[in-house]
Amino acid sequence: MGWNLLILLAILFAYGVFSYMSQKSAARKAARHERLKERHDALMDAIKNKKAEDESSAT
């Protein structure tokens, strides 16, 4: 009986660790996605501003 309980607790612990790591991974993925989106938006703004500046100086 004691071994069965020990095995059950080990399985529950492993499940808890796996669940925790999955949540951390998802949070890191979301943060990375947000940083990349901000960097992309900044690059697009810079390109748009550069194009507008070039067009205004050409006239």
Side-chain angles (χ1 to χ4, degrees), residues 8-30:
L8 181 63
L9 288 174
I11 291 171
L12 286 173
F13 178 76
Y15 176 76
V17 169
F18 176 76
S19 176
Y20 174 76
M21 295 302 278
S22 294
Q23 287 177 350
K24 293 267 293 184
S25 176
R28 276 194 306 269
K29 185 178 180 181

Side-chain angles (χ1 to χ4, degrees), residues 5-49:
L5 185 60
L6 189 61
I7 291 171
L8 181 63
L9 288 174
I11 291 171
L12 286 173
F13 178 76
Y15 176 76
V17 169
F18 176 76
S19 176
Y20 174 76
M21 295 302 278
S22 294
Q23 287 177 350
K24 293 267 293 184
S25 176
R28 276 194 306 269
K29 185 178 180 181
R32 180 176 181 271
H33 178 73
E34 186 62 31
R35 284 193 311 270
L36 288 174
K37 184 179 183 308
E38 288 173 1
R39 196 176 296 170
H40 177 264
D41 290 346
L43 179 63
M44 289 295 125
D45 287 344
I47 291 171
K48 185 173 65 174
N49 291 342

